[in-house]
Amino acid sequence: AADAAKAAGFAVSRACYVEPASPLFGSRIVNFVHDEIIIETPEKDAHKAAEELARAMVCGASVLMPDVPPSAEPVLMRRWSKKAKQIRDAQGRLIPWDG
């Protein structure tokens, strides 16, 4: 599981720093808490970045966990909280949790 988390982190880092076409490009990883990767990204791009973050994490971890499909649920927040929940608007876009 630790190797899968590291692989996910590597996939996200690559998208942030070396893949200009990625919605994560220009975002920065600011923390890794057990199984969460926390990034900073411009709020105007946050929905796309959050969805791509979840996708990159799953793809990165999948390589090392072929029999246990990983999952990731993106959540937007302006400040980190373990209580944060995923919130979507009427169009299905992620919006920040402000609990």
Side-chain angles (χ1 to χ4, degrees):
D3 287 341
K6 289 176 191 173
F10 181 80
V12 172
S13 293
R14 183 173 180 81
C16 289
Y17 290 96
V18 299
E19 295 178 359
S22 172
L24 289 172
F25 190 73
S27 300
R28 298 293 178 250
I29 296 174
V30 296
N31 208 349
F32 180 79
V33 181
H34 182 62
D35 61 351
E36 298 177 51
I37 297 176
I38 300 169
I39 66 169
E40 288 182 333
T41 197
E43 195 163 328
K44 66 180 180 61
D45 303 323
H47 167 75
K48 288 181 184 177
E51 296 289 0
E52 180 61 13
L53 174 63
R55 190 200 67 75
M57 290 175 66
V58 167
C59 287
S62 294
V63 174
L64 295 167
M65 297 173 45
D67 299 328
V68 182
S71 64
E73 179 180 289
V75 176
L76 293 182
M77 58 191 101
R78 292 185 177 99
R79 61 176 171 42
W80 183 85
S81 172
K82 198 66 171 169
K83 297 176 185 178
K85 304 280 188 243
Q86 187 183 82
I87 302 171
R88 294 186 180 266
D89 64 15
Q91 291 76 37
R93 293 177 53 85
L94 286 165
I95 57 174
W97 173 86
D98 276 325

